[in-house]
Amino acid sequence: MTCPRCLLQLQTLGLLGRSAARCVGLLRTPSSGQPSEPQVLRHFHPSPGSAKSRSVPAEFDRESHKKRNKSLITHDDLFEQVAQEAKTKAMFNKVVDIFTKRDIRRRGHVEFIYAALRKMPEFGVERDLTVYNKLLDVFPKEVFVPRNFIQRMFNHYPRQQECAVQLLEQMENYGIMPNMTTKVLLVQIFGEKSHPMRKYQRIMYWFPKFKHINPFPIPQKLPEDPVDLARFCLNRIANDLDAKVTVYQMACTEVTESGEEVTLPYIVGIQSPSQMELLTKHNPSRPVFVEGPFPLWLRKKCVYYYILRADPPLPNEKVEEPYDPERCLDYPLQLDFDLGRDLGDDESFDVEDLDEGPVFAICMTNQGDEATLNQWISGLQQSNPVLGQVPTLFRLDAGPQELDMLADIKSCHNHRPESELLKEDWLPEEEPEVMGDEELRRSQRMK
Amino acid sequence: WSHRRGSTEVFPYPEIGNEELEEINQLVAPVEKFFNEEVDSAKIDHEAKIPAETLNGLKELGLFGIMIPEEFGGLGLSNTMYARLAEIISLDGSIAVTLAAHQAIGLKGILIAGSEAQKQKYLPKLASGEHIAAFCLTEPGSGSDAASIQTRATLSEDRKHFLLNGTKIWISNGGFADIMTVFARTEVTVDGVKKDKISAFIVERAFGGITSGKPEDKLGIRGSNTCEVSFDNAPVPVENVLGEIGGGFKIAMNILNSGRFSMGSSSAGMIKKLIELTSEYAATRKQFNKSLSEFGMIQEKFAVMALNAFVMESMAYLTAGMMDRPGLADSSVEAAMVKVFSSEGGWICVSEALQVLGGLGYTKNYPYERYVRDCRILPIFEGTNEILRMYIALTGMQYAGKVLTAQIKEMKKGNIGLALGMMGKKLKSSFGVSVDLGLIGKDGVVHPSLAESAKKLEQNVSLFGSTVESLLYRFGKTIVDEQLILKRVADLVINLYAMTAVLSRASRSISIGLRNHDYEVLLANTFCAEAFFKNNYKMTQLQKHSPENNDANMKKIAKALLENRAYICSHPLERTY
């Protein structure tokens, strides 16, 4: 981290260096015209009149073709030309460098910075602090610092201040914490009491407080492999340190006897020991339901999961274990007189405490049709044998990929024509439909 | 408890007759000699084994059958004398535990619940030490929870044997015990419903099917043999059932409750020995031209040790005397109180003794570190202190609840006359009208030099009574779940009992003019002053919404930590920017 004074010295040296090189350049190329071959620095200062009709610098791309048209180019075009090759950070930096070195007065820097801010997501650098600092560096230093009280009063260089504020705003939107370089740059460019500096101070007040505010943070880079992603999501939903994730099936393509290729989806499930206990205590005459798919949003990605649940037991079915006076060897577990808890000390009521029925297990899979979920249930049955006697009902919603299938199967229902529906574009069905009733699943489920 | 402990039980301090005293002193002398000369505690600790000669010596002294009646070959001594002998035996922790496991719990079952035939058959050999006993109750999945006992005893086809199957862990003397009291599940038919109940069996190693695991490598009491015992279809004759089939629970409770009181005197004996050794060192070592015994902090340590020893002795012998008195209700709660106080007091004192010696105490050259390691087991075995606190508090609450139920129900109904009466009483007490439990004054049982302390005790007791009432009003039956509150109640009860014991003993000492009775008065007063203050603090913590009570916060801290199963604060060196 360089201290502000050092950076200031570096800047002045840089300016000097540039002015020195300028003289050298001028000496070297006496003619003011388009250079025919690529040069390290081109110091051609056009008159203000022809500000817009500037030719693209020739050192644009050393190896490849040079652009020589003199037509009106907006700053967007600069980026788009580069974009036709690789859209990388290096290219982006290169364009910014070209702009900074092309004109000592940095004409049009405000528009350039706005254009660059717009193009950042395309180049994939929107989360990169060094790129933002480089963009801030495009502003000329010390020009916009107010020097007397009148300048200070009247919003000195408002457009530049607004541009810098927009830059900081984009940084804030992407959640990037500025660092010391940013502060030094802002001080050099705008001075201490400017709008961008204020915005910087506000960011630096709030962002540290917000950094760890999410008790369940999602990492920026989600795992690529769908099974790993499923593992992560299931642990996130279950939120239990004892829960175990089992991969019942990995995605693979199999060739069946008739020679067709069948793609089997991955099936990943999770269950914790307390859920297993709840399942053993479940009354076998009451059904369990497989419900889904429910969406889970992780930043910009939506994944779907299915649950195995049951309805809460009826109030008259709740059996309390009778008190066994011989349970504890050392002290009585229940006292033998008839006094209840005082109302003032009764903390058992909680508005949020709803009994929605136990959830026994959760799973995630590509393809949420009955066959796959059946496979999940049979996998579960290996560790929870009671599933063999309990009737399982499948209450599946139409998932995103299943709208095509639905059109075939349920032609009696009123559906919109699904032909142009894309995979990402799913329209949720309003009412959950009972896809299939699997009554009386017995142990022949075990495969 | 203010109701339970009537003055006549506790005052005067129980005494034993002159002949008994002589008898005890005669017994004590050879035992002391044996322990001082022939027991090499360091060697026992190092090799994790008690040598056979030592065991033989103990058998000859008759220490294997102290409480077995003389007709079966034992010494037939009372509880008080057992406590006196325990003071000396505790000089070596491993021997103390081996003997206690043998007689205080191992053969107690036969003594309490055995039939004449069983007693005739087993007690003589056990008393002479030819056979050693063990007590098998704990299992890997079952500590205090009797419902999770897995060991099963099934009736064989010829209905003459029970076949025992299962494993028991942490059985003292398990490696070489010949007679074991084993608790297992049996099927009983109660009102036509088949249930599983626990029964007690006397199992001999000679029956076969019994294997012992390898001895556990422990931190302290290394000479005592602790191992796992497995039963594989061990045949137990039907005659060997202790008590009745299905009655094992009560037997287990009785055995466990009766063995506890001796811990008071054994801790006291150990502390007294340590005081001797440590004060020797403190008086001779000099720094800055002063001996250690002239420094205040060292003196405080010795005072703490002396106080603890005094209180432990008083409580232990009071309880033993109460147990010996014929026709009295069972004093298992008092025994539990003695155990809790002594185990914690012993641990603190032994630690302080080591501290006085500093670095020397930490080395193996001196016995202090062995005492510290041996003492660490005291709060754990024979009922962990947490469990015993729950027992003490809940037994009292049960009694108080029964007595106060009607009154509290009336209060809850909002009877105006009752409310006015209560307010009147509260106003009177806030004006400083003293409580008179009959301890001091013209017919008082406490000596006038202890009047101050007795007044403090009375105040504490009355305030305690109203605290218990308010707790029952607030929580009722659900107080079973409020462990932190019950812990404070138990601590209060223990302190009150200790104060009573101490006052009783000191009064007797003055009245009959024992040597150094003024020292006892000093100890008694000091202890009562400290305990009074602590009791008052605990009682203020038990008030509703009291700011001194941190329970809610503690539970919150613990909950967040246990959910994450780790310490959840960020590191102090972490940065966010």
Side-chain angles (χ1 to χ4, degrees), chain A residues 50 95 97 137 164 169 171 180 188 219 262 286 288 324 340 376 430:
Chain A
S50 61
V95 176
D97 280 332
D137 209 12
E169 178 92 8
M171 254 208 281
M180 207 42 157
Q188 286 172 344
V262 177
R286 298 213 155 271
V288 293
D324 182 6
W376 170 49
E430 287 311 317

Side-chain angles (χ1 to χ4, degrees), chain B residues 234-256:
Chain B
V236 179
V238 176
E239 305 85 55
N240 274 24
V241 174
L242 255 184
E244 347 172 301
I245 300 186
F249 186 79
K250 289 254 154 31
I251 298 180
M253 276 186 68
N254 287 335
I255 298 178
L256 290 170

Side-chain angles (χ1 to χ4, degrees), chain A residues 216-253:
Chain A
F216 306 108
I218 308 179
Q220 279 290 345
K221 287 225 49 110
L222 287 169
E224 297 290 340
D225 177 28
V227 175
D228 285 336
L229 181 64
R231 203 182 281 264
F232 170 75
C233 295
L234 286 172
N235 274 321
R236 192 182 174 76
I237 300 171
N239 199 25
D240 191 346
L241 285 169
D242 286 323
K244 254 186 29 151
V245 174
T246 21
V247 180
Y248 294 104
Q249 190 177 277
M250 295 286 287
C252 55
T253 48

Side-chain angles (χ1 to χ4, degrees), chain A residues 12-26:
Chain A
T12 45
L13 278 174
L15 279 169
L16 282 172
R18 221 169 287 157
S19 50
R22 187 188 354 150
C23 304
V24 169
L26 275 174

Side-chain angles (χ1 to χ4, degrees), chain A residues 177-178 204 208-209 211-212 240-242 324-345, chain B residues 137 144-147 249 253 387 390-391 394 397-398 401-402 405 409 412 472-478 480 482 544 563 565 576-577:
Chain A
M177 180 93 87
M204 289 310 285
K209 292 192 204 302
K211 190 160 184 185
H212 295 295
D240 191 346
L241 285 169
D242 286 323
D324 182 6
E326 299 199 350
R327 177 84 192 256
C328 178
L329 283 168
D330 293 286
Y331 61 85
L333 287 172
Q334 260 193 34
L335 295 178
D336 194 20
F337 50 83
D338 191 26
L339 285 171
R341 204 167 171 115
D342 191 29
L343 284 178
D345 285 285
Chain B
L137 174 59
S144 303
D145 188 356
F249 186 79
M253 276 186 68
I387 288 274
M390 291 290 286
Y391 172 62
L394 283 173
M397 284 293 174
Q398 171 80 48
K402 283 226 163 90
T405 305
K409 282 203 164 148
K412 289 204 180 189
L472 282 171
Y473 184 92
R474 277 168 68 192
F475 296 108
K477 284 173 86 154
T478 63
V480 185
E482 303 283 332
K544 189 162 177 170
E563 263 177 26
R565 300 187 194 178
T576 45
Y577 70 93

